[in-house]
Amino acid sequence: MNFTEGEVLYFNKPLHWTSFDLVNKARTMIKHTLGIKKIKIGHAGTLDPLATGVLIVCTGKCTKRIEELQYHTKEYIATMRLGATTPSFDLETEIDATYPTDHITRELVENVLQQFLGEIKQIPPTFSAVKVNGKRAYEYARKGDEVEIKAKTLVIDEIELLEYDMPTIKVRVVCSKGTYIRALARDIGQALNSGAHLTALERTRIGDIKVEDCISIDDFRAKIDEMKAQMPIAE
């Protein structure tokens, strides 16, 4: 591997790590272990701290490919709890309201999911990195300030119900860049005349890269150590 010339790395991001945490850890390993003083490195598509799965990291000259890679279609497996909402639409914040679910059936869920196929408008979460008046939306949200976020157009290519175990459902989603699965959970809850929030999220694919093709940060550390061991000893 030549990290300065450029590499495209496929990581399985750990739970509770930010995307920047993983990039920073990879950068530190490359610089300190291999003695590289300066390295360009970045990721192609943010994953929330409470999400796991495919995160593409580019180094060196390959950082020029980040924008191209961000536009690849993404696949997610989302676990949602129906009948309850949180301000962040996931487990980052506490439940703020509960709703009836007695009327919800598997058939109803499957019918509602089909309403989200194709081109849709979606309002990103207030707890997100979307910029509003030069600041990140989450900066307003964490202070309790009201902020208006404009709806974005995106595409849902595929959506299917994988598991139905009320009040929990598991859904597979194939979608375009810019899709917030947390916001999709919110909208599915509303379409069911109830509420919903994410309890787990895994990005299983970006383009042709599947989560099975990805390495853990520990595997990457072992690879870097192996590279160092093979370096010639300076006399």
Side-chain angles (χ1 to χ4, degrees):
M1 288 186 174
N2 189 324
F3 297 110
T4 306
E5 273 301 303
E7 297 288 345
V8 179
L9 307 168
Y10 308 119
F11 283 101
N12 186 349
K13 188 190 80 65
L15 186 65
H16 300 304
W17 286 39
T18 66
S19 300
F20 178 76
D21 286 340
L22 193 147
V23 168
N24 195 41
K25 181 67 74 173
R27 179 193 290 112
T28 300
M29 288 181 190
I30 292 168
K31 289 177 69 175
H32 290 185
T33 308
L34 300 180
I36 298 173
K37 292 183 178 179
K38 193 173 182 181
I39 183 77
K40 289 178 70 176
I41 185 167
H43 65 78
T46 304
L47 264 182
D48 288 336
L50 295 181
T52 62
V54 184
L55 185 72
I56 299 178
V57 173
C58 299
T59 77
K61 295 176 183 177
C62 285
T63 53
K64 294 177 182 177
R65 294 190 57 198
I66 285 177
E67 186 173 358
E68 163 217 333
L69 292 167
Q70 285 178 333
Y71 278 91
H72 288 187
T73 298
K74 300 171 178 67
E75 178 186 72
Y76 296 89
I77 302 296
T79 306
M80 307 175 190
R81 178 187 167 187
L82 305 181
T85 57
T86 72
S88 60
F89 312 150
D90 64 6
L91 297 178
E92 182 184 340
T93 52
E94 298 291 325
I95 290 172
D96 61 355
T98 57
Y99 302 85
T101 59
D102 291 346
H103 65 287
I104 298 175
T105 63
R106 185 185 188 105
E107 183 181 17
L108 178 61
V109 172
E110 289 178 332
N111 289 338
V112 161
L113 292 182
Q114 297 313 300
Q115 298 173 18
F116 293 91
L117 266 177
E119 187 174 281
I120 64 169
K121 294 279 189 180
Q122 183 186 80
I123 299 174
T126 50
F127 282 82
S128 70
V130 171
K131 282 200 170 182
V132 181
N133 300 324
K135 291 173 66 176
R136 301 291 185 184
Y138 63 74
E139 295 180 54
Y140 295 99
R142 286 171 183 162
K143 290 180 181 176
D145 296 336
E146 292 285 329
V147 62
E148 183 179 349
I149 302 177
K150 294 180 180 178
K152 294 188 175 186
T153 301
L154 51 93
V155 177
I156 305 293
D157 295 306
E158 299 176 43
I159 187 166
E160 67 169 321
L161 181 64
L162 298 178
E163 293 180 18
Y164 175 83
D165 184 19
M166 286 296 291
T168 299
I169 62 171
K170 186 175 285 188
V171 177
R172 185 180 72 90
V173 182
V174 178
C175 56
S176 65
K177 175 184 183 292
T179 305
Y180 281 91
I181 306 299
R182 285 183 289 136
L184 185 63
R186 169 202 62 198
D187 296 341
I188 288 170
Q190 291 175 352
L192 288 167
N193 292 316
S194 184
H197 65 278
L198 279 185
T199 56
L201 181 65
E202 181 182 29
R203 184 154 66 195
T204 49
R205 180 170 62 83
I206 298 180
D208 294 329
I209 303 304
K210 299 179 180 180
V211 70
E212 305 94 79
D213 304 319
C214 298
I215 62 171
S216 68
I217 194 69
D218 289 335
D219 289 340
F220 184 67
R221 185 192 304 276
K223 181 67 177 175
I224 294 293
D225 288 341
E226 182 183 325
M227 289 176 65
K228 183 181 180 181
Q230 293 173 354
M231 292 171 64
I233 300 172
E235 294 184 5

